[in-house]
Amino acid sequence: MHFTLKRLFLINNLLTAILPMLIIGTISIYVLKSNLTAEMDRNAAVLARTLGGEITTYMGEPTSTFNVLTRHLSLQHHREKELSEYFDLLVRSYDYLDALYLIDAAGMVREASFNDSKEKREDDYRGMDFSTVEICRRAQRESRLQWEPSVSFVSGEPIVSFCMPFLDGTVLANIRLAELGSIINAASKDMFTAFIVDKSGLIISHPDREIAGQKINIGNIPLIRAGIAGRELTDNFVFRSVSYRGTALPLPAFGWTVVVARDMRVAMQPVKTMLLVFANGMLSVLLLTFFIGYLSTSVLNRPFAVLTENARKVIAEEYDSIQDVPSHCTEIRILSETFGHMAHAIRNREELLNAQTEELMSTEEMLRELNQHLEERVVERTEKLQEATEELQTLNRNLVQRTLSLEDANKQLESFAYSISHDLRAPLRHIASFAAILAAEHAAQLDETGHGYLQRIGKGCSRMEELIAAILGFSQVARQPVKKEKIDVEQVIRELMIELQDEQDGRSVELVIGHFPPCMADPLLFRQVMANLLGNALKYTRQRETARIEVGASRENDEVLFFVRDNGAGFDMQYADRLFGVFQRFHRQEEFEGTGVGLAIVRSIIQRHGGRIWAESAPDRGATFYFTLPD
Amino acid sequence: MPNPAPKIVFLLLMVFLLAACSKKEPIRIGFVGSLTGRNADLGVAARDATLMVAEELNRTGGIDGHPVEVIVKDDAQDPETAVKVVDELIRENVVAIVGHIASSMTMATLPAVNRARIVMVSPTSSSNDLSGQDDYFFRVMEPNRLFARHQAETCRKLGIRRVSVIYDLQNKAYTVDIFAAFREELVRNGGVIISEVSFDSAEKPAFLPLVRQLDLKKSNGVLVLGSSVDTITIIQQIRKADPSITILSGACGIAQRDLLQAAGKTLDNVVFTLPVDIQCPLDSYREFSDAFEKRYHYAPTMAAVLAYDATNLIAVALKKNSDPGQLRATIKGIGSFAGVQGPLVFDQYGDPSRLLHVIRYRDGREEIIR
C-alpha cells in the first residue's frame, strides 16, 4: 500500500481528533439516554398511580350517587309524571350520566332520560323491550349492583353501564367515560399521554377524542397484556406507527389498566439535541482537521519539492545547480545537508567510475577481438572435423559393402565345401573298397611291400573320410538356423561327461563345475560347443597323471562369459590367431588325433550367437578357452 | 492509488447513519370507514379485521420481507371528511385502500381514488351504481340488486305481498338503491308497497312518530333499512304497534350482534338477509372466528368477515406482484380468491358473487330460511 505523506498526516490528524470524540460522545449519549429513561420511568409510574387513585375516586361517585338514588326511589311512591321529571333532573344534574332507564319486572322500559337536550327519543324508549339486556338480567337475578363497559345507544361513545335492582325491576344508568377524559386530559401534559383500556384491551378513554371514540383494541401489545393480567409494567410499544414508552398500572376494581405513555420522539429530544451538538462538533473537528492538515502538509511540501528537484538534478548530473532547501525544520535541514554530502560523494564516485569504465572498455575491445579470432578458428576446425567425419562415413560404407561381399563369399565357400565334400565321398569309398578287395582277394599276389601300400591306401582313405565328415559337419553348423532357449549349462556338462566316458577310462580326471548365470542359446549348438571344448580338454590332458578340467561362467555387463580350463599340453600363443581356422593343427596326428575342424565349428557357433571366442595358453601349461554369449 | 482518507471519514459517518436506516420500508395499506358516532359498528369491526390481517402478515415476515402498516382514517359518515381523509391516505403513499363501509362514502371518494390510480377494495359497499365499471374499485360483497332480489324472494316464500318500508337517507347509495330494486322485484312478484317513510339518522329523529306513519294494519311485512342501532330501535317501535308482523332487514341491521340483546323479544319474526354465514362450518372460518374473538373479545361480524377477505385479497395480490402500480391488473388476474367462507369469483369489473344467507329469529334463536 502506498500513500503520500500528506494523506498519512491527514489520517493521523483525523484519527487523533475523531476517535476520542466518538468514544466520549457515545458514552455521554448512552449515559444521558439511560438517565433520561430511568427518570421518566419513575415519573410515569408516579403519574400512573396518582391517576389510578383519581379514577377510583371518580368512579366511586356515580356508585354512591346511584345508591342514594335507588334508596330514594324505593322509599317513595312516585307517579309516572313525577318520576319522569325526577329522572330528567337527575340526568341533567350529573354530567357524567349519559342515560337513565327504569325497567319493570317484565324487562320493559318504564322511564328513560337522556343527558343530550337534543335527544327526543324518550317516547321511543318508553315501552321498549329490554328483557334480554344481559346486565339487567344479572342485576335482577343477583339482586345487587352490576356494571360493565358498553356503547351508548344515544351517542355511540364508550360508556359504563350500571344496573341496580329496584323494587321488582331495575334501574339502568349509563356513565359517560368521556368525563373520565377530563382526568386523563389533566394528566396528559408535557410529554405524557395517559389513557385507559378495559379488560379486553379496548381504549375506553383517551385525551384524543378521535381515538377514544374509535373503539381501538390494543390488547395485542405486550404492555397492555401485562396490565390486563394485573401486572404493573414499563415497556416500549408502537401505536399507530409511533414509538412510545409506557407504564401500565392495573386497576383491579374495574378490570381496567391505566397507561401513561410518552412519545419517544419527544421524550428523547434531549438525546437528539445532544446528538445534533455532537454531530456539529464532529463536523467542525473534521473541517478543522482538514484545514490544519492542509496547512502543515503545505509547510512540509515545499522543502520536499526542492529536495525532489535536487534529486532529479543529481540524476541528470546537474550538480552545479543544486539549490538550498528552505526550511526552519531541523530534521529537514539535516536531511538537506546530508543530501548535499551525498550528491558530492556521488559526483566523486561517478568520476572514478568513468575512469574505470574507460579502462574496462579497452579491455573489453581486446577481449572482443580475441573472441572474434577464436570464433574463426572454431569455424575452421569444425569444417575440418566435418570433412574427417564424411571421410569416415565413406570408409564405413565401403567396409559394410566389403563385409557384405565377404559374407557372400563365405556363404558360397560354405556351399562349395558342402557340395565338394559330399561329392568327394563316393570316389573315396570306391578307392577304399577296391583297396580292401585287393587286400582280401589278391593277398597272395602281393608282397609285403604291396600289402604295406594297400594298408597305407586304407588308412589314407579313412583319414580322408574323417576329414570330409568334419568339413560336412562344419558347413552344416553354418547352415543350421539358431533357435535360442534357456540353457541349463550344468546339466549339459554332466550329460556330456557321461558321453565322453571312453576318453576317461583308466584315467584320473578332476572336474570342477562352477556356478552358471542363466543364459539363452540354441540348445543343440551350445551342446556342440561344450562337447568340442570338453572333448579337447580331455584329449590334451591325456598325458597328465591327474587331469584337471574347470568349467565356469560369470555375468559381464550384458553378456555371459564362459571358460573351459585344462592343465593339458597347451599351445604357443604366437599361433593363437590360427587356432580357430579350419584344419589348423598344432600337434601331430600320432600324438593327438583329430581333424582340426572342432574349434572352427565352435567359433562359427559362437559367432552365430553374436558372441566372441578366444584362448590363453602356453606350451605344456594347459589352456583356457573363453567365449561369451549375449543376453 | 485510491485515497484512504475519504474512505475512513465515510466509514465513520456510516456508523451514525446505519443505526437509523437498517429496517425495510413498510408497505402501507389505508383503511377508511366510519369509526365514530352511532353507526360506527360496521366500520370498527372492519377496521379490526383489517388490522388483524396486517398483524398476521407481520407475524410471518410481512410481504416480501416488508412489514405491513395499516393507516386508519375515519370518514365520520360525512362525504367531505371522506374526501379529505382519502386525500390524506393518497398523500401518505398507501398502495391500496380498504374501505369504505357505506356506499355513499365510496361514491364520494371514488373519483379521487381513480385519479390517483390506487386500488380500493370495499368490504361492504354494495351500491348498484358501483357495478359494471372498469375502474380501481373492487369489492367483496355483492351489489344491492342481489340483496333486494333475495329479500323480495323471501317475501314471496313467506307469502308477504303488502310491504311497508322505512329507510335512512344518510346512506342513500345503500338504502334508496336497495329499496328501488326491492320494489321492482316485489311488484314483479305481484306484491305492493303499502307505505314508505324515510328519515335522516344524522338528525337523531324520534322513531315512534315515524313508525306510526307506516300503515302497518294494511301491511303484512315491514322492510327496515338503517344502521344497527337505528334498526333495533325501529323494530322496538314497530313491535309496540304490531307485536307479530314480519320485519325484514338488510345486512346493516345485524352488523353488531352484541347490540341484538337490546332488541329483547321484539326480534322474533325478524328476517335478516346476510352476505356471510355466521354458522359457516368451514375450518378457515372457524380459525378466523376464533382468532378474531381472542384478539378483540367479540365475535366477528359481517363487516369483519368481509374486511378480512378484502384485506387478504390485497395481500394475496401484493405477494404475487409487489409492484403497487400493477396491483389493479394483479387483482383482475386473480379471478377466484379463497375467501374465509369459501371461494369468491369476480366478474370483469371486480364484483364478486357470493352466497347470501337468510335467517329468521324465532323464540330468541336463529333459523335459516332456504
Side-chain angles (χ1 to χ4, degrees):
Chain A
M1 189 172 165
H2 301 278
F3 39 76
T4 60
L5 209 54
K6 194 173 170 179
R7 282 170 195 167
L8 191 69
F9 271 109
L10 204 58
I11 293 165
N12 183 34
N13 288 353
L14 279 176
L15 287 180
T16 42
I18 286 174
L19 272 184
M21 254 202 101
L22 208 63
I23 293 163
I24 293 166
T26 312
I27 292 170
S28 335
I29 285 170
Y30 174 76
V31 168
L32 180 70
K33 213 170 174 176
S34 49
N35 282 352
L36 212 60
T37 306
E39 172 72 18
M40 277 189 302
D41 283 353
R42 270 196 301 280
N43 289 347
V46 169
L47 191 60
R49 285 211 186 85
T50 314
L51 210 53
E54 280 183 39
I55 289 164
T56 311
T57 313
Y58 171 83
M59 291 305 287
E61 196 189 332
T63 316
S64 56
T65 308
F66 208 55
N67 273 322
V68 172
L69 164 72
T70 47
R71 190 150 303 170
H72 181 77
L73 282 172
S74 61
L75 287 176
Q76 296 175 17
H77 183 72
H78 294 275
R79 279 185 310 217
E80 208 88 341
K81 180 111 174 54
E82 282 172 0
L83 201 66
S84 172
E85 280 170 5
Y86 182 58
F87 264 46
D88 283 351
L89 185 71
L90 270 177
V91 160
R92 272 158 209 159
S93 310
Y94 298 102
D95 266 355
Y96 51 76
L97 271 177
D98 179 66
L100 201 61
Y101 303 91
L102 180 66
I103 298 155
D104 69 16
M108 306 304 277
V109 177
R110 267 185 63 198
E111 193 52 63
S113 281
F114 305 106
N115 207 340
D116 188 347
S117 57
K118 281 188 219 149
E119 186 67 57
K120 301 280 186 291
R121 289 190 184 163
E122 283 88 350
D123 283 342
D124 282 2
Y125 279 86
R126 275 186 211 110
M128 262 171 74
D129 184 350
F130 272 19
S131 60
T132 51
V133 174
E134 185 54 36
I135 187 169
C136 299
R137 291 172 67 172
R138 213 163 55 226
Q140 213 164 9
R141 200 167 56 232
E142 297 180 15
S143 296
R144 60 185 175 91
L145 178 71
Q146 301 289 325
W147 64 270
E148 68 179 22
S150 181
V151 178
S152 166
F153 257 40
V154 182
S155 64
E157 283 175 17
I159 50 169
V160 176
S161 292
F162 283 79
C163 194
M164 186 93 160
F166 168 64
L167 297 178
D168 46 356
T170 53
V171 175
L172 178 67
N174 290 340
I175 305 296
R176 282 183 190 163
L177 287 178
E179 290 305 313
L180 208 58
S182 58
I183 299 174
I184 296 291
N185 284 347
S188 299
K189 56 189 181 213
D190 299 333
M191 67 192 71
F192 292 111
T193 305
F195 56 91
I196 305 172
V197 294
D198 73 4
K199 62 175 183 291
S200 74
L202 199 69
I203 298 177
I204 55 173
S205 187
H206 195 284
D208 184 337
R209 288 190 74 83
E210 196 188 306
I211 293 174
Q214 286 184 3
K215 293 172 211 161
I216 296 167
N217 190 311
I218 53 169
N220 60 326
I221 294 171
L223 175 77
I224 306 301
R225 274 213 300 273
I228 293 170
R231 280 187 292 119
E232 189 179 337
L233 180 71
T234 298
D235 192 13
N236 297 335
F237 68 95
V238 176
F239 176 60
R240 295 197 157 185
S241 312
V242 178
S243 292
Y244 293 92
R245 185 165 176 82
T247 301
L249 179 79
L251 299 178
F254 311 101
W256 295 345
T257 300
V258 176
V259 182
V260 175
R262 58 226 188 251
D263 187 337
M264 293 299 270
R265 288 173 305 187
V266 184
M268 288 295 136
Q269 194 55 46
V271 175
K272 232 180 192 171
T273 313
M274 177 90 167
L275 257 175
L276 201 69
V277 169
F278 180 60
N280 280 330
M282 280 280 279
L283 198 69
S284 315
V285 168
L286 265 177
L287 290 176
L288 207 66
T289 312
F290 270 111
F291 181 66
I292 293 170
Y294 179 77
L295 274 187
S296 54
T297 46
S298 299
V299 169
L300 274 178
N301 270 358
R302 232 171 75 76
F304 275 112
V306 176
L307 263 175
T308 311
E309 179 60 21
N310 283 350
R312 198 192 58 72
K313 282 173 182 163
V314 169
I315 293 166
E317 297 178 31
E318 296 163 8
Y319 298 103
D320 295 328
S321 60
I322 286 174
Q323 304 169 22
D324 279 343
V325 177
S327 177
H328 302 291
C329 181
T330 316
E331 286 89 343
I332 291 174
R333 236 182 14 254
I334 292 170
L335 184 65
S336 164
E337 279 168 19
T338 315
F339 186 84
H341 294 322
M342 185 187 79
H344 184 70
I346 287 175
R347 190 181 195 169
N348 287 347
R349 290 211 190 133
E350 200 169 68
E351 280 164 8
L352 189 71
L353 206 66
N354 280 344
Q356 283 176 351
T357 306
E358 264 171 40
E359 202 175 312
L360 266 173
M361 272 164 74
S362 65
T363 314
E364 195 195 342
E365 179 62 21
M366 211 164 70
L367 274 172
R368 210 174 51 75
E369 275 169 21
L370 273 172
N371 203 21
Q372 178 75 22
H373 186 62
L374 202 66
E375 273 173 17
E376 279 166 16
R377 282 183 64 186
V378 166
V379 168
E380 202 180 310
R381 292 277 166 89
T382 309
E383 276 169 10
K384 277 185 183 167
L385 205 64
Q386 269 175 355
E387 276 171 27
T389 308
E390 274 166 25
E391 215 170 299
L392 207 64
Q393 278 171 348
T394 315
L395 278 170
N396 208 23
R397 271 198 299 280
N398 290 346
L399 199 67
V400 169
Q401 216 154 4
R402 282 186 63 185
T403 310
L404 282 175
S405 56
L406 266 173
E407 273 175 8
D408 198 34
N410 212 21
K411 271 181 189 159
Q412 281 179 18
L413 204 66
E414 277 167 6
S415 176
F416 169 74
Y418 178 76
S419 54
I420 206 151
S421 46
H422 197 267
D423 292 352
L424 282 174
R425 259 186 172 170
L428 186 64
R429 285 202 182 125
H430 276 105
I431 295 168
S433 301
F434 284 114
I437 293 166
L438 207 60
E441 291 176 14
H442 304 282
Q445 294 165 294
L446 287 175
D447 58 4
E448 208 161 299
T449 313
H451 279 291
Y453 289 151
L454 272 179
Q455 251 177 357
R456 282 194 183 182
I457 289 171
K459 274 185 187 171
C461 281
S462 299
R463 177 81 186 142
M464 189 76 173
E465 180 75 31
E466 272 172 27
L467 288 174
I468 287 171
I471 288 171
L472 263 175
F474 176 71
S475 57
Q476 262 166 2
V477 164
R479 296 151 78 97
Q480 205 169 319
V482 175
K483 283 182 197 157
K484 286 191 176 181
E485 280 174 29
K486 200 174 170 204
I487 303 291
D488 185 349
V489 181
E490 205 176 321
Q491 176 73 19
V492 171
I493 294 166
R494 295 205 186 282
E495 281 170 13
L496 284 171
M497 290 305 283
I498 293 165
E499 277 173 34
L500 295 166
Q501 195 57 53
D502 288 352
E503 184 65 50
Q504 301 167 54
D505 280 348
R507 286 179 55 189
S508 163
V509 177
E510 187 188 333
L511 181 68
V512 180
I513 301 174
H515 173 72
F516 300 97
C519 69
M520 302 287 289
D522 186 303
L524 281 175
L525 294 176
F526 183 80
R527 190 184 176 83
Q528 180 73 62
V529 167
M530 276 304 184
N532 288 5
L533 290 176
L534 285 172
N536 279 355
L538 281 171
K539 184 159 76 183
Y540 291 107
T541 51
R542 206 177 283 158
Q543 290 156 351
R544 293 288 180 265
E545 204 168 303
T546 300
R548 190 173 190 280
I549 300 169
E550 195 181 341
V551 188
S554 62
R555 175 162 286 285
E556 305 281 333
N557 300 325
D558 51 353
E559 54 187 17
V560 182
L561 173 69
F562 288 87
F563 67 89
V564 179
R565 186 173 293 137
D566 62 62
N567 57 348
F571 60 89
D572 193 339
M573 279 301 281
Q574 65 175 307
Y575 309 116
D577 53 336
R578 284 162 44 198
L579 189 63
F580 298 100
V582 185
F583 300 141
Q584 294 297 331
R585 304 218 58 226
F586 296 165
H587 302 277
R588 284 179 296 115
Q589 182 72 11
E590 294 77 31
E591 207 175 351
F592 297 106
E593 75 288 346
T595 57
V597 176
L599 284 177
I601 288 174
V602 167
R603 186 181 66 173
S604 174
I605 290 172
I606 296 302
Q607 279 175 346
R608 294 202 59 205
H609 275 82
R612 294 165 290 121
I613 186 160
W614 69 96
E616 283 170 5
S617 182
D620 220 23
R621 302 274 295 272
T624 305
F625 285 85
Y626 296 94
F627 67 92
T628 65
L629 285 179
D631 279 342
Chain B
M1 207 63 213
N3 189 346
K7 266 192 205 164
I8 289 171
V9 175
F10 179 72
L11 278 175
L12 288 173
L13 288 175
M14 285 307 285
V15 173
F16 294 102
L17 291 174
L18 267 177
C21 50
S22 53
K23 268 191 185 170
K24 266 195 172 182
E25 266 293 293
I27 291 177
R28 292 193 179 85
I29 294 174
F31 173 88
V32 63
S34 308
L35 297 172
T36 47
R38 303 193 319 161
N39 303 319
D41 40 17
L42 283 167
V44 167
R47 179 207 57 202
D48 286 350
T50 301
L51 288 170
M52 195 167 106
V53 173
E55 285 167 13
E56 282 172 355
L57 285 170
N58 290 338
R59 266 199 298 278
T60 53
I63 295 172
D64 272 359
H66 294 270
V68 177
E69 187 185 307
V70 178
I71 301 176
V72 177
K73 298 286 178 186
D74 178 17
D75 64 24
Q77 191 87 341
D78 171 47
E80 273 179 38
T81 313
V83 170
K84 191 183 120 235
V85 294
V86 163
D87 203 41
E88 282 170 14
L89 286 178
I90 292 168
R91 268 184 282 133
E92 285 181 69
N93 284 325
V94 295
V95 297
I97 296 171
V98 178
H100 295 259
I101 301 305
S103 293
S104 53
M105 297 299 110
T106 310
M107 304 283 273
T109 63
L110 194 55
V113 168
N114 278 331
R115 264 200 308 279
R117 294 168 186 272
I118 288 177
V119 166
M120 178 180 250
V121 185
S122 172
T124 56
S125 296
S126 54
S127 171
N128 289 331
D129 291 341
L130 295 165
S131 300
Q133 288 172 34
D134 191 12
D135 52 12
Y136 282 81
F137 176 75
F138 296 85
R139 57 180 156 193
V140 292
M141 190 166 101
E142 285 76 358
N144 289 334
R145 201 176 297 111
L146 194 76
F147 280 91
R149 202 175 291 153
H150 249 78
Q151 278 163 331
E153 176 62 18
T154 308
C155 287
R156 197 187 59 78
K157 277 184 194 162
L158 299 175
I160 297 165
R161 301 179 71 175
R162 298 184 308 280
V163 184
S164 286
V165 182
I166 177 165
Y167 60 95
D168 187 0
L169 289 172
Q170 249 312 292
N171 189 7
K172 277 187 193 167
Y174 168 65
T175 56
V176 175
D177 212 24
I178 212 164
F179 175 36
F182 173 76
R183 183 207 298 265
E184 195 180 300
E185 201 69 22
L186 183 78
V187 170
R188 186 179 298 152
N189 291 347
V192 285
I193 300 293
I194 293 294
S195 56
E196 59 171 274
V197 170
S198 64
F199 62 92
D200 183 351
S201 60
E203 287 172 7
K204 301 187 176 180
F207 288 118
L208 191 59
L210 290 170
V211 167
R212 279 179 184 149
Q213 288 173 31
L214 293 171
D215 195 347
L216 297 178
K217 286 208 174 74
K218 285 186 187 161
S219 315
N220 52 1
V222 188
L223 176 63
V224 183
L225 297 168
S227 71
S228 297
V229 173
D230 288 346
T231 300
I232 286 164
T233 316
I234 290 167
I235 288 170
Q236 290 259 19
Q237 308 317 311
I238 293 170
R239 285 284 175 255
K240 286 180 191 171
D242 188 333
S244 62
I245 192 168
T246 305
I247 301 171
L248 301 149
S249 177
C252 287
I254 202 173
Q256 196 166 337
R257 281 171 173 259
D258 292 359
L259 292 177
L260 289 179
Q261 59 167 303
K265 295 188 190 74
T266 63
L267 215 51
D268 260 16
N269 205 23
V270 177
V271 178
F272 292 102
T273 304
L274 303 173
V276 299
D277 177 6
I278 298 303
Q279 294 168 348
C280 177
L282 287 178
D283 285 347
S284 57
Y285 179 69
R286 288 285 133 226
E287 275 169 29
F288 157 73
S289 174
D290 291 348
F292 190 91
E293 198 156 350
K294 188 165 177 249
R295 170 70 180 85
Y296 294 111
H297 301 269
Y298 68 93
T301 65
M302 168 201 92
V305 175
L306 295 170
Y308 190 76
D309 278 354
T311 316
N312 264 324
L313 176 65
I314 293 170
V316 164
L318 284 173
K319 276 182 182 171
K320 250 186 185 171
N321 183 352
S322 57
D323 179 6
Q326 298 288 315
L327 188 57
R328 176 171 173 260
T330 315
I331 293 179
K332 274 177 161 286
I334 284 176
S336 170
F337 162 74
V340 76
Q341 292 199 341
L344 281 177
V345 181
F346 297 94
D347 71 7
Q348 57 174 322
Y349 305 113
D351 279 346
S353 56
R354 195 186 255 282
L355 277 179
L356 294 184
H357 305 272
V358 182
I359 59 165
R360 173 163 61 185
Y361 277 84
R362 181 154 290 185
D363 299 327
R365 301 163 87 137
E366 292 174 8
E367 62 174 33
I368 293 170
I369 298 177
R370 289 177 207 283

